């Protein structure tokens, strides 16, 4: 079968690979869609933590089940996605019901080879029923689940004001699920076209350009001086992460969904006097996947809204570099496999 390998930063190569065979406890999926996410783009750039080369990228995936062992509730030929964070099952996190932050976690397309292939072997326990959703929709469940998990970590309550920093795909999904939780959402980004997308396509109540003067003052005006009770970073930008501590309300919660390589720093007195909470949000759980799929079926989320670019598998090598340029207006690139 054909695969696309990121051999080193900014270098792809199509290579022939051995088609996987069924082994105990696993399943074979014929890949139909591959969503391109920030993790893939950062890996291509050489700025992704927890990453080694060469690597086959891809973890926003949908396909058709070919065969499976130990998955009696699944049928060959059905459309599926899967949870691409493979956990050990016995570490402290797994025993605590948090397999998304397993101490020995292996993420498809990051720690191990991912889905830019024709066929992929995955643990049978990771399979998720398609439930009548299209392949496009199923490929977008995972990135939306990232945002849904961050909102759940924040314990967002109806009527709260949630500031989402970063209007990329993960940030957009975070805004959607903050809205579903009953919050008033403020989007903060440096890209005016993405802020326009938030207003016109997602109905976000308020948007603020991070490059405008006195961002904190604008947030204060929008919250009657209170500031947002929840701030969620979805940028992975060290500068953005550090700056957003100053946007947090007294008694507020700051959730870091975005990831970067540097050290986070903030004023301890300013943080302390707020009795604020800071926490990370890593990956997602099956409950988050099910929450996303349920809201898709209800029509509360239309994931295909995010797809702005579409290419065939054979075009990825030539097109990938263009998706890094903000001027090209990429929200979500989707790869189609035949």
């Amino acid at each position: 079968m054909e695969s696309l390998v990121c051999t080193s930063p900014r270098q792809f190569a199509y290579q022939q690979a051995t088609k996987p065979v069924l082994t105990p406890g696993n399943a074979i999926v014929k890949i139909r869609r591959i969503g391109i996410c920030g993790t893939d783009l950062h890996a291509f750039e050489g700025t992704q933590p927890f990453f080694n080369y060469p690597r086959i990228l891809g973890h926003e995936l949908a396909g058709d089940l070919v065969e499976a062992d130990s998955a009696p509730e699944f049928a060959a030929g059905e459309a599926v996605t899967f949870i691409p964070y493979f956990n050990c099952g016995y570490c402290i996190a797994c025993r605590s019901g948090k397999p998304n932050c397993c101490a020995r976690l292996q993420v498809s397309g990051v720690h191990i080879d991912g889905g830019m292939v024709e066929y992929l072997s995955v643990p049978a326990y990771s399979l998720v029923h398609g439930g009548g959703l299209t392949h496009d929709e199923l490929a977008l469940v995972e990135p939306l689940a990232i945002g849904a998990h961050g909102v759940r970590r924040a314990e967002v309550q109806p009527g709260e004001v949630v500031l989402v920093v970063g209007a990329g795909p993960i940030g957009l999904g975070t805004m959607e699920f903050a809205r579903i939780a009953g919050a008033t959402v403020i989007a903060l980004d440096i890209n005016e076209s993405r802020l326009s997308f938030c207003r016109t396509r997602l109905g976000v109540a308020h948007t603020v350009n991070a490059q405008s003067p006195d961002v904190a003052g604008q947030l204060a005006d929008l919250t009657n001086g209170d500031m947002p009770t929840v701030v969620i970073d979805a940028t992975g930008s060290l500068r953005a992460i550090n700056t957003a501590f100053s946007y947090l309300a007294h008694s507020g919660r700051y959730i870091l969904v975005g990831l970067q390589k540097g050290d986070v720093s903030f004023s301890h007195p300013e943080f302390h006097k707020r009795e604020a909470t800071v926490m990370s949000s890593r990956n997602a759980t099956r409950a988050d996947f099910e929450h996303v799929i349920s809201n898709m079926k209800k029509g509360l989320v239309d994931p295909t809204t995010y797809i702005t670019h579409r290419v065939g598998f054979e075009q990825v090598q030539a097109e990938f570099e263009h998706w890094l340029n903000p001027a090209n207006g990429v929200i979500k690139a989707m790869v189609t496999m035949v």
Side-chain angles (χ1 to χ4, degrees):
M1 66 174 182
E2 192 165 43
S3 67
L4 181 59
V5 182
C6 188
T7 56
S8 61
R10 296 189 178 270
Q11 295 295 322
F12 273 126
Y14 288 101
Q15 297 179 2
Q16 288 296 304
T18 302
K19 182 180 175 181
V21 297
L22 186 64
T23 54
N26 290 313
I28 306 297
V29 177
K30 180 173 176 57
I31 302 300
R32 296 293 191 183
R33 297 290 187 277
I34 307 165
I36 304 301
C37 78
T39 297
D40 301 319
L41 297 172
H42 296 154
F44 182 74
E45 288 180 309
T47 59
Q48 174 63 30
F50 316 131
F51 200 84
N52 295 300
Y53 303 87
R55 179 67 68 225
I56 298 174
L57 306 181
H59 63 269
E60 296 181 2
L61 303 166
D64 298 325
L65 183 63
V66 177
E67 54 182 340
D69 176 73
S70 303
E73 68 276 25
F74 287 85
E78 73 169 286
V80 295
T81 186
F82 64 92
I83 302 170
Y85 332 116
F86 307 144
N87 61 293
C88 72
Y90 55 83
C91 73
I92 180 62
C94 291
R95 299 198 312 273
S96 301
K98 298 181 178 181
N100 56 298
C101 59
C102 167
R104 300 168 183 85
L105 196 70
Q106 292 188 307
V107 178
S108 178
V110 179
H111 308 98
I112 58 175
D113 285 339
M116 289 193 179
V117 292
E118 294 182 72
Y119 295 89
L120 185 66
S121 175
V122 302
Y125 68 74
S126 71
L127 291 173
V128 177
H129 289 289
L133 298 179
T134 67
H135 288 124
D136 279 351
E137 291 169 328
L138 287 172
L140 290 167
V141 171
E142 191 274 342
L144 287 168
I146 297 289
H149 185 71
V151 170
R152 184 158 66 92
R153 286 277 284 157
E155 298 182 343
V156 172
Q157 302 299 308
E160 283 198 279
V161 177
V162 175
L163 172 66
V164 179
V165 186
I170 299 299
L172 296 175
T174 303
M175 294 173 205
E176 295 259 61
F177 283 93
R179 169 183 56 79
I180 289 168
T184 297
V185 177
I186 304 174
L188 180 69
D189 200 282
I190 62 173
N191 187 318
E192 193 56 47
S193 66
R194 288 197 169 187
L195 293 175
S196 176
F197 184 94
C198 293
R199 293 188 298 270
T200 61
R201 302 294 289 276
L202 299 188
V204 171
H206 306 287
T207 60
V208 176
N209 193 308
Q211 294 181 318
S212 61
D214 193 20
V215 170
Q218 293 182 61
L219 295 175
D221 290 342
L222 290 171
T223 58
N224 296 316
D226 290 335
M227 303 300 281
T229 52
V230 176
V231 176
I232 303 178
D233 176 79
T235 66
S237 160
L238 183 58
R239 180 178 179 184
I241 289 170
N242 288 341
T243 300
F245 277 93
S246 63
Y247 304 150
L248 191 62
H250 282 246
S251 78
R253 291 99 71 201
Y254 189 11
I255 292 78
L256 302 178
V257 175
L259 177 65
Q260 48 73 49
K261 288 184 173 182
D263 295 331
V264 173
S265 62
F266 54 90
S267 166
H268 188 185
E270 288 296 320
F271 185 76
H272 190 91
K273 75 181 185 182
R274 288 167 168 79
E275 198 179 54
T277 300
V278 62
M279 65 181 75
S280 61
S281 177
R282 190 180 186 194
N283 301 321
T285 66
R286 182 170 291 274
D288 300 310
F289 274 65
E290 292 172 351
H291 183 50
V292 169
I293 290 172
S294 173
N295 280 281
M296 284 185 181
K297 289 181 176 180
K298 292 175 184 175
L300 296 177
V301 177
D302 180 6
T304 59
T305 299
Y306 305 148
I307 300 174
T308 54
H309 294 66
R310 187 186 296 276
V311 300
F313 184 58
E314 68 282 356
Q315 299 170 286
V316 176
Q317 182 179 24
E319 293 293 326
F320 204 93
E321 183 106 27
H322 299 295
W323 299 334
L324 296 169
N325 186 348
N328 291 325
V330 179
I331 299 293
K332 176 62 65 177
M334 185 66 69
V335 179
T336 299
M337 303 280 284
V338 295

